[in-house]
């Protein structure tokens, strides 16, 4: 998992995708290819996702080793405030004092005062909170932009990002689209596909997962006809339109399997066990990669997904979800 405090910090590996786009491995949990950040090398350099606080120094060191000086970073855009995506935002803000933090409007108050976010995350993650994620540090509200229904971010030189709300995985999730290049950065709203996975697995954790809203968000992505879809976990999925349709189909499959199990017995253990049997073949061992299954269990484990699905089905029965 995460390195011990006595181990030297390893700068994040940087993979040049194009002259204007670099993938940043955040080294979440001390493993490679868990959570990706993306550096847009535009006139106003922009980082999409930064990873958790525990491994954020690796990201900062990687960016600096890549040539980004403290005054250079213009924006940090966070798809949603789950700690594996934006937990290190306060540290990035401190290391890059000119950077503006961009997050869903619902997430702004949690960036300004992360006490409730830290407390709830500690309850959810248990021992992993300290070893993998760590506490968010506060950010001055003057340095944060809250994204409403839609927002445009000026990257300079005629480049821009289109930001828009994409709930489903979480109510505070945004999609990030570069209309000039066709790059679409989707956080967790499309799902997870890491080494050892042949298919996209939905990410349906509690407490905010909503099946109808998640499918609508995927339809929004399809309407953009992106040229590349970049997952946070992990990397580009091709072909992009087929990948988005696969995400819709796989989410429907998981929902149907969960609902059938829940209808038989609404107990979480029963639903999780059913999903575990049904989708056991989705993740395989990878020669020379001992972390293949650990990555998936950390970020999109069967029980975590089952918890979100069961909660959604309970709320649906009560008439408290979107239709």
């Amino acid at each position: 998992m995460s390195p011990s405090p006595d181990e030297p910090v390893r700068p994040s590996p940087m993979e040049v995708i194009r002259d204007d786009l670099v993938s940043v491995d955040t080294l979440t949990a001390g493993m490679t290819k868990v959570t990706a950040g993306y550096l847009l090398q535009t006139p106003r350099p922009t980082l999409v996702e930064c990873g958790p606080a525990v491994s954020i120094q690796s990201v900062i060191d990687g960016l600096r080793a890549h040539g980004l000086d403290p005054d250079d970073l213009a924006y940090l855009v966070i798809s949603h405030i789950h700690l594996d995506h934006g937990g290190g935002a306060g540290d990035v803000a401190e290391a890059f004092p000119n950077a503006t933090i961009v997050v869903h409007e619902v997430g702004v108050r949690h960036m300004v005062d992360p006490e409730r976010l830290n407390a709830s995350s500690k309850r959810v993650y248990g021992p992993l909170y300290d070893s993998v994620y760590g506490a968010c540090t506060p950010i001055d509200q003057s340095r944060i932009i809250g994204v409403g229904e839609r927002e445009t971010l000026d990257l300079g030189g005629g480049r821009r990002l289109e930001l828009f709300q994409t709930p489903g995985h979480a109510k505070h999730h945004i999609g990030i689209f570069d209309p000039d290049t066709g790059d679409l950065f989707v956080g967790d709203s499309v799902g997870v596909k890491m080494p050892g996975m042949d298919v996209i697995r939905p990410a349906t954790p509690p407490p905010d997962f909503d099946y109808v809203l998640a499918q609508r968000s995927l339809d929004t992505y399809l309407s953009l006809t992106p040229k590349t879809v970049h997952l946070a976990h992990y990397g580009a999925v091709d072909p992009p339109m087929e990948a988005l349709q696969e995400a819709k189909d796989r989410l429907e499959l998981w929902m149907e399997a969960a609902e059938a199990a829940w209808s038989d017995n609404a107990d979480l253990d029963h639903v999780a066990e059913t999903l575990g049997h049904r989708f056991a073949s989705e993740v395989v061992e990878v020669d020379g990669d001992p972390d293949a299954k650990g990555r998936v269990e950390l970020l999109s484990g069967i029980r975590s997904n089952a918890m979100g699905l069961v909660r959604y089905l309970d709320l649906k029965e009560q008439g408290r979800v979107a239709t």
Side-chain angles (χ1 to χ4, degrees):
M1 300 299 280
S2 60
S4 74
D6 298 328
E7 293 180 21
V9 174
R10 177 168 47 134
S12 288
M14 315 282 284
E15 179 185 351
V16 177
I17 299 172
R18 295 189 313 263
D19 288 345
D20 63 342
L21 182 61
V22 177
S23 174
V24 182
D25 190 328
T26 65
L27 297 178
T28 296
M31 297 185 286
T32 60
K33 299 187 183 302
V34 175
T35 303
Y38 296 95
L39 176 64
L40 282 66
Q41 299 188 134
T42 51
R44 294 175 182 162
T46 298
L47 179 64
V48 176
E49 316 282 38
C50 66
V54 164
S55 55
I56 197 62
Q57 193 60 49
S58 292
V59 175
I60 293 168
D61 290 351
L63 293 172
R64 289 178 174 168
H66 189 70
L68 207 66
D69 291 333
D71 292 337
D72 289 345
L73 189 66
Y75 299 108
L76 166 62
V77 183
I78 301 167
S79 66
H80 59 303
I81 62 171
H82 290 168
L83 297 192
D84 53 318
H85 294 259
D91 304 270
V92 172
E94 182 177 348
F96 296 95
N98 290 336
T100 296
I101 314 305
V102 184
V103 66
H104 190 291
E105 60 187 3
V106 170
V108 172
R109 64 188 178 95
H110 296 291
M111 296 287 99
V112 174
D113 180 6
E115 183 177 355
R116 286 183 61 189
L117 175 62
N118 289 333
S120 63
S121 298
K122 194 163 192 174
R123 289 193 299 271
V124 170
Y125 294 126
L128 295 180
Y129 176 79
D130 292 317
S131 63
V132 173
Y133 299 106
C136 301
T137 56
I139 303 170
D140 190 278
Q141 188 160 354
S142 65
R143 295 186 61 187
I144 304 175
I145 293 175
V147 177
E149 187 172 344
R150 282 194 175 267
E151 187 83 35
T152 299
L153 207 60
D154 183 1
L155 305 185
R159 289 283 293 279
R160 69 192 190 282
L161 286 180
E162 296 178 357
L163 313 174
F164 42 91
Q165 296 187 7
T166 52
H169 171 80
K171 63 185 177 183
H172 49 79
H173 200 292
I174 61 173
I176 303 144
F177 184 55
D178 185 333
D180 292 316
T181 65
D183 289 303
L184 178 63
F185 304 94
V186 297
D188 284 351
S189 54
V190 169
V192 170
K193 189 176 183 181
M194 294 182 286
M197 303 180 72
D198 293 328
V199 296
I200 295 172
R201 170 180 284 188
T204 65
D208 294 337
F209 170 72
D210 186 299
Y211 174 75
V212 171
L213 296 181
Q215 291 287 27
R216 288 178 185 170
S217 292
L218 289 166
D219 286 335
T220 297
Y221 291 148
L222 282 163
S223 73
L224 297 170
T225 60
K227 293 181 180 177
T228 312
V229 174
H230 300 277
L231 305 182
H233 316 296
Y234 184 95
V237 283
D238 284 317
M241 297 295 282
E242 286 85 344
L244 291 173
Q245 187 59 52
E246 177 191 340
K248 284 182 63 66
D249 294 343
R250 299 295 299 179
L251 179 56
E252 182 178 12
L253 194 63
W254 273 70
M255 188 75 254
E256 289 175 349
E259 189 161 19
W262 177 87
S263 297
D264 177 60
N265 180 349
D267 179 70
L268 172 62
D269 289 339
H270 171 70
V271 175
E273 183 179 3
T274 300
L275 294 175
H277 286 305
R278 176 68 177 81
F279 299 110
S281 62
E282 286 187 350
V283 184
V284 298
E285 298 283 358
V286 179
D287 290 343
D289 184 0
D291 297 326
K293 291 192 174 182
R295 291 187 190 95
V296 182
E297 189 57 36
L298 178 67
L299 295 170
S300 190
I302 294 288
R303 188 170 184 84
S304 174
N305 278 353
M307 288 172 67
L309 291 163
V310 167
R311 184 178 186 277
Y312 172 78
L313 289 165
D314 288 342
L315 293 175
K316 180 182 177 183
E317 186 178 47
Q318 299 164 24
R320 295 169 57 192
V321 296
T323 57

